[in-house]
Amino acid sequence: MIIDLTMPVSSGIPLYTPDRAPEIRQIASIAKDGWNEHEVRITTHVSTHIDAPFHFFANGKKLDDFGIEKFVGNGILVDYRKQKVVEKVNVKITKGDIVLFYTGQSKKSKEDYGKDSPVISSSLAKELVKKKIKMIGIDAFSPDNEPY
């Protein structure tokens, strides 16, 4: 099975309020300048991204505090479409895996993207930490709800 988890960056991309939409504008064209070039303005919390501990903790590690090996590994796709809370995984997960949760949230409209977002239970999060996975990914704006 192939599941498309991409979310191309555009001005119409679903956002977590109060994020600003990306701005993409052409600043040079072949007709006028002899080449094409675009300017892209984007916040660090739009589309596919990685949240480092610094995102929530003033003294937390930033992405450049991690070696590149932390971002490379065996990807495990967990398909949990139509579930509100992911309580357990139904696939084998081992130390160092990168666990990707597919919930279908990314396929919702721009207006509905932030509504009723599925989450990963705290008990599953603790289980994944015990297994010493490298990271998780989810096609929603957050793997949990406030207070995070």
Side-chain angles (χ1 to χ4, degrees), residues 6 18 21 23 28 42 54 101 106 111 117 128 139 142 145:
T6 60
E23 298 173 28
I42 191 169
F54 183 72
F101 292 92
S106 61
E111 295 76 27
S117 187
L128 295 173
D139 66 331
S142 180
N145 291 321

Side-chain angles (χ1 to χ4, degrees), residues 8-148:
V9 174
S10 71
S11 59
I13 195 168
L15 299 171
Y16 173 72
T17 306
D19 285 341
R20 288 180 34 196
E23 298 173 28
I24 304 169
R25 68 181 186 102
Q26 188 163 6
I27 59 172
S29 69
I30 292 174
K32 182 179 175 197
D33 307 294
W35 70 90
N36 283 313
E37 188 169 357
H38 291 79
E39 176 183 68
V40 178
R41 298 179 83 188
I42 191 169
T43 67
T44 59
H45 210 255
V46 171
S47 191
T48 302
H49 68 281
I50 298 173
D51 283 338
F54 183 72
H55 183 61
F56 282 109
F57 303 103
N59 294 320
K61 285 186 175 184
K62 297 179 181 177
L63 289 178
D64 59 351
D65 292 327
F66 296 93
I68 192 68
E69 70 280 354
K70 292 287 186 182
F71 305 99
V72 179
N74 184 46
I76 304 294
L77 179 64
V78 182
D79 188 346
Y80 276 97
R81 286 176 278 192
K82 299 180 183 174
Q83 290 192 28
K84 300 308 281 163
V85 179
V86 182
E87 296 284 351
K88 59 183 178 177
V89 296
N90 56 2
V91 294
K92 183 180 178 189
I93 295 174
T94 60
K95 180 180 178 180
D97 283 346
I98 297 170
V99 183
L100 304 171
F101 292 92
Y102 179 60
T103 67
Q105 193 75 7
S106 61
K107 300 301 180 195
K108 287 189 170 185
S109 70
K110 183 177 178 180
E111 295 76 27
D112 290 337
Y113 175 70
K115 296 177 184 173
D116 300 319
S117 187
V119 296
I120 297 168
S121 71
S122 60
S123 61
L124 176 56
K126 290 173 186 173
E127 179 184 333
L128 295 173
V129 169
K130 283 182 189 174
K131 289 184 179 277
K132 298 186 179 195
I133 66 164
K134 284 191 175 181
M135 71 175 78
I136 66 160
I138 190 167
D139 66 331
F141 64 85
S142 180
D144 59 356
N145 291 321
E146 289 188 58
Y148 305 113

